[in-house]
Amino acid sequence: MPPMMSYLAGLGTGLSLIVAIGAQNAFVLKQGLIRQHVFWICLFCAVSDAALILLGVTGMARIGLAAPWLVQGMRWAGVAFLIWYGARSFRAAWRGEKALRPGSEGASLAKALAMIAALTWLNPHVWLDTVVLVGAISAQWPQPGAFGLGAMTGSFVFFFALGYGARLLAPVFARPRAWQVLEVLIGVVMWTIAVTLIAE
């Protein structure tokens, strides 16, 4: 089987796993709408995904089986962070803060990167999708390296398309009410993921 087939399979798998709206994607969407640090946020997400996919493809997914306490620790840290971030979004929606409007001054680059780092690395679902699932699926293909490269490509394509494509929705979000609705939706997403993690 030619490596291109493995690459395309990895690309399709990566896109299918990442396209669902989650905590990470919601943050990228919001940054794209306010046009704040879009390139660096998208790059951070894509590079983080690539690193995790590399771990999965090279067999490091076994760490989770060898050290289940690590998975549990990540889960509860993720729950705490998602609850806090969801509450923050609900509060912003309630207050209708000026910082939510396009073109306004948002968080610094350091704060934005710290936020997306927590949403990425403290979210067990990210680890499950990239390390465990992609790692396991890649082992089924003759060229797991090409499969992993395809999955990494999918991450880069998706995050930059989401971050820069969000500005097409700018006319809708010119109204403060639309930003309040978005914040409520983000809060719901964060708390739903937190409840899912608790239930697991």
Side-chain angles (χ1 to χ4, degrees):
M1 181 179 295
M4 182 57 69
M5 293 297 295
S6 295
Y7 175 85
L8 292 175
L11 178 63
T13 300
L15 286 173
S16 65
L17 289 175
I18 203 173
V19 73
I21 291 296
Q24 189 185 42
N25 295 349
F27 186 81
V28 174
L29 176 64
K30 180 179 173 182
Q31 291 300 119
L33 286 168
I34 63 175
R35 304 184 187 185
Q36 292 278 333
H37 320 301
V38 179
F39 175 80
W40 295 110
I41 294 297
C42 293
L43 182 64
F44 182 91
C45 290
V47 170
S48 293
D49 259 21
L52 291 168
I53 289 168
L54 181 61
L55 284 175
V57 172
T58 55
M60 292 301 289
R62 297 171 187 165
I63 291 179
L65 297 175
W69 58 268
L70 180 61
V71 177
Q72 288 299 314
M74 285 177 49
R75 182 176 73 156
W76 291 109
V79 166
F81 180 80
L82 289 168
I83 290 174
W84 170 81
Y85 192 87
R88 181 175 177 270
S89 292
F90 285 128
R91 176 175 173 269
W94 177 261
R95 295 179 60 181
E97 295 173 348
K98 182 179 179 181
L100 294 176
R101 297 177 185 173
S104 63
E105 184 178 352
S108 66
L109 176 60
K111 284 185 177 181
L113 287 176
M115 195 73 71
I116 194 61
L119 289 171
T120 300
W121 293 91
L122 290 179
N123 187 349
H125 285 173
V126 173
W127 286 77
L128 176 64
D129 287 349
T130 55
V131 178
V132 179
L133 289 181
V134 173
I137 296 171
S138 70
Q140 310 303 315
W141 288 82
Q143 298 90 11
F147 184 94
L149 185 60
M152 293 177 193
T153 302
S155 291
F156 274 86
V157 169
F158 175 80
F159 283 119
F160 279 93
L162 178 63
Y164 284 100
R167 64 186 58 192
L168 297 176
L169 297 173
V172 175
F173 287 91
R175 299 182 303 238
R177 178 66 64 185
W179 280 102
Q180 289 177 295
V181 171
L182 177 64
E183 287 289 2
V184 169
L185 291 176
I186 290 175
V188 169
V189 168
M190 301 300 172
W191 281 12
T192 300
I193 296 173
V195 169
T196 301
L197 292 177
I198 292 172
E200 291 175 355

